[in-house]
Amino acid sequence: MHKYMKEAIKEALEGINNGYGGPFGAIIVKGGKIVGRGHNQVVLNNDATCHSEIQAIRSASKNLNTFNLSGCTLYATGEPCHMCLCACLWANIDKVYYGCTIEDNEKIGFRDNKFNSLLGGRDKLKDYLVCIDRDECLKLFDEYNKIKNKTIY
C-alpha cells in the first residue's frame, strides 16, 4: 500500500471511530511532506461541506499560508465528489489519488453516483484522478458498514 494512502486511511478511521461522518480521509502532500490532513466531519459539524478533501485543503492552506496549492498532491480514501473535485481544481492541486470509487461509495449508502450522473465531466480530466489501493480502502468501508446507528447523507 502507498504510504500516503495509509495516512489517509488513518484519518478516515479517526473520523469514523469518533462518529464524525463517513469513512473518508484525505491528506495533501507537497515535496514529500504531509502538509494537510482531514477526515469527514459532516455529522460532527452539521455541515454538508465538511468532507475530508475540503478539510485537508483547509489544513494545507493554513499550514502553507496560501490558497494556492500548486505542487501538491491529494490522497483520499474515496473518489472525490463533484464538490471536492472542484475544490481540488480551484486550489490548484496537481493530482488526486483515491481508493474507493464513486460506485463503491454508493454501495455503502452514499449518493455520489447520483451527482456524478447529473454533472458528469470526469472523462475530461484525463490523468488527474488515479485510483490506487482500492482493496485497502474497501476494507475501511467494510469497517464502516459494521457501525450501527451511522448517519448517511
Side-chain angles (χ1 to χ4, degrees):
M1 178 185 347
H2 196 282
K3 68 179 180 177
Y4 296 129
M5 187 59 80
K6 189 180 241 181
E7 291 297 315
I9 289 171
K10 285 181 188 175
E11 279 295 319
L13 286 170
E14 181 177 338
I16 64 174
N17 289 336
N18 287 298
Y20 294 164
F24 305 105
I27 62 154
I28 296 177
V29 176
K30 184 171 187 174
K33 180 181 175 194
I34 296 173
V35 296
R37 295 177 170 274
H39 50 268
N40 187 295
Q41 295 182 22
V42 169
V43 174
L44 174 69
N45 293 318
N46 288 314
D47 182 344
T49 68
C50 286
H51 291 195
S52 63
E53 298 92 337
I54 302 293
Q55 299 299 86
I57 288 170
R58 290 174 179 154
S59 171
S61 294
K62 182 178 179 182
N63 290 335
L64 296 173
N65 196 33
T66 183
F67 58 84
N68 184 352
L69 300 181
S70 294
C72 292
T73 303
L74 184 135
Y75 293 81
T77 57
E79 186 173 356
C81 69
H82 273 76
M83 175 183 70
C84 293
L85 181 55
C86 287
C88 289
L89 293 166
W90 274 109
N92 295 315
I93 290 173
D94 291 351
K95 193 164 193 100
V96 173
Y97 292 97
Y98 65 90
C100 293
T101 66
I102 286 175
E103 292 79 18
D104 295 328
N105 296 349
E106 186 174 41
K107 291 175 188 171
I108 60 168
F110 290 85
R111 54 196 170 122
D112 302 50
N113 206 25
K114 174 184 175 182
F115 297 108
N116 194 50
S117 297
L118 179 66
L119 301 170
R122 289 173 186 272
D123 57 319
K124 296 176 182 156
L125 294 173
K126 308 266 185 229
D127 296 327
Y128 185 73
L129 293 166
V130 178
C131 184
I132 63 170
D133 297 324
R134 181 171 175 254
D135 289 340
E136 291 301 315
C137 291
L138 282 171
K139 290 177 188 174
L140 173 69
F141 278 26
D142 289 341
E143 284 297 311
Y144 180 73
N145 267 340
K146 293 176 187 172
I147 298 170
K148 295 187 184 330
N149 302 321
K150 58 186 171 272
T151 301
I152 301 290
Y153 59 95

